[in-house]
């Protein structure tokens, strides 16, 4: 098993890509600390656990720094370490620039950008003490290329890339084997993209060399590689997973 004995925190773990990753990580022997907003969805996730790993859950909002600190302390007390942090939680509040409400700007910045900062600032000291760890940040192709109607979202996903490269440099300064990478998915079939109209999806599929959207399990496979020791010499990278959309 590829994650045997590893303690892995995943945010946004109860839906879409995060859920696929939680189930896959458990299959690969990890202890998964699944963090999300809804108790109901987290309980469903635990019920679906294929094992042999454990899925332990926390109802956690990534904007709540106090709750994050409590969760991290609790995890270290219970499991003794944190090997992997997957900053996967994210939201959209799309609107064209001229119509975007300040509250929609703030909401997306708070979850997608500050949430990643909050989680990493709480977990990094543990990884520095261990001298080892892997942090995976979920960016997006729109963080690199922009997208109409996504001023707030693309700003956060570009910001995640900046933080990824900064942390790859900072957290390895004293020889620690802490790797920080970003994943940049294209269009993946999850509740997040369910809102996109059929007409736009058909046009989009035409533009994707592989002629289809991605499955959450395909992104989970990339998370798994970056979480495992198989990627031990990869850090500071932004890895696209988009069916070739950007080429
Ligand atoms: P999703 O909506 O299915 O899942 C996101 C999860 O994050 C939900 O369970 C939600 O409850 C949780 N969440 C939202 N706000 C939270 C908060 N404040 N604290 C904790 N949890 C919170 O979406 P998804 O498509 O699986 O997205 C996962 C990640 O992938 C996101 O960061 C998203 O931006 C990114 N992404 C998705 C796509 C795509 O096409 N689906 C493309 C590029 C990037």
């Amino acid at each position: 098993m590829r994650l045997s004995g590893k303690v892995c925190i995943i945010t946004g773990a109860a839906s879409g890509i995060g859920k696929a990753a939680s189930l896959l990580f458990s299959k690969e022997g990890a202890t998964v600390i699944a963090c999300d907003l809804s108790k109901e969805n987290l309980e469903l996730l635990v019920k679906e656990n294929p094992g042999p790993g454990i899925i332990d859950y926390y109802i956690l909002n990534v904007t709540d720094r106090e709750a994050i600190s409590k969760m991290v302390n609790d995890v270290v007390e219970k499991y003794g370490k944190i090997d992997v942090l997957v900053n996967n939680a994210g939201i959209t509040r799309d609107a064209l620039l001229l119509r975007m409400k300040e509250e929609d700007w703030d909401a997306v910045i708070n979850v997608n950008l500050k949430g990643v900062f909050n989680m990493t600032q709480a977990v990094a000291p543990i990884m520095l003490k261990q001298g080892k760890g892997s942090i995976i940040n979920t960016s997006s192709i729109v963080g690199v290329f922009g997208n109409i109607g996504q001023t707030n979202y693309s700003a956060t996903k570009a910001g995640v890339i900046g933080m990824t490269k900064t942390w790859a440099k900072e957290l390895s300064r004293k020889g620690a084997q802490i790797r920080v990478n970003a994943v940049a998915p294209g269009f993946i079939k999850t509740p997040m993209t369910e809102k996109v109209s059929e007409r736009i999806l058909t046009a989009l599929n035409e533009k994707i060399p592989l002629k289809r959207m991605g499955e959450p399990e395909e992104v989970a496979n990339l998370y798994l590689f970056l979480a495992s020791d198989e990627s031990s010499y990869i850090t500071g990278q932004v890895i696209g997973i988009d069916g070739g959309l950007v080429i």
Side-chain angles (χ1 to χ4, degrees), residues 33-232:
I33 313 298
C35 302
D36 209 311
L37 299 173
S38 141
K39 182 168 193 230
E40 206 184 331
N41 290 348
L42 284 162
E43 280 176 350
L44 278 175
L45 169 71
V46 170
K47 263 199 203 140
E48 283 180 44
N49 182 11
I54 297 165
I55 300 183
D56 194 355
Y57 76 76
Y58 287 80
I59 302 159
L60 184 93
N61 190 326
V62 297
T63 65
D64 184 345
R65 291 171 61 85
E66 206 176 303
I68 292 171
S69 168
K70 272 196 201 131
M71 179 275 292
V72 167
N73 288 338
D74 197 49
V75 167
V76 172
E77 205 170 286
K78 242 169 144 177
Y79 300 107
K81 60 176 184 159
I82 300 170
D83 298 292
V84 175
L85 168 63
V86 187
N87 283 311
N88 166 82
I91 58 168
T92 54
R93 297 275 189 282
D94 296 352
L96 293 170
L97 170 64
L98 300 190
R99 289 190 207 139
M100 185 166 285
K101 295 196 179 78
E102 186 181 1
E103 69 215 51
D104 291 336
W105 166 267
D106 288 342
V108 173
I109 298 288
N110 269 333
V111 175
N112 297 12
L113 188 68
K114 193 171 177 198
V116 174
F117 163 73
N118 291 339
M119 288 296 300
T120 309
Q121 197 176 41
V123 170
I126 314 296
M127 291 187 172
L128 283 166
K129 245 187 243 161
Q130 294 165 181
K132 199 171 185 282
S134 173
I135 298 171
I136 299 155
N137 295 327
T138 308
S139 177
S140 164
I141 53 163
V142 314
V144 183
F145 297 94
N147 196 22
I148 290 174
Q150 293 199 307
T151 292
N152 48 3
Y153 184 80
S154 57
T156 63
K157 295 303 183 181
V160 160
I161 292 174
M163 294 194 292
T164 299
K165 294 185 180 181
T166 297
W167 297 336
K169 290 179 177 175
E170 258 190 40
L171 299 178
S172 57
R173 260 185 316 165
K174 292 177 183 152
Q177 296 295 301
I178 300 175
R179 302 182 294 104
V180 190
N181 291 291
V183 165
F187 288 84
I188 313 298
K189 261 188 231 154
T190 71
M192 185 179 268
T193 47
E194 266 169 17
K195 300 172 216 158
V196 182
S197 76
E198 203 55 45
R199 188 180 56 82
I200 290 179
L201 285 181
T202 310
L204 197 73
N205 280 345
E206 269 314 299
K207 281 196 192 150
I208 302 171
L210 292 184
K211 297 282 181 282
R212 63 177 178 86
M213 289 176 83
E215 299 294 334
E217 290 75 17
E218 295 179 293
V219 182
N221 280 327
L222 180 55
Y223 285 177
L224 169 62
F225 171 65
L226 291 172
S228 79
D229 294 337
E230 291 159 27
S231 56
S232 54

Side-chain angles (χ1 to χ4, degrees), residues 1-4 26-30 52-53:
M1 279 180 297
R2 295 160 72 188
L3 295 179
S4 194
S26 174
K27 255 193 204 162
E28 293 293 341

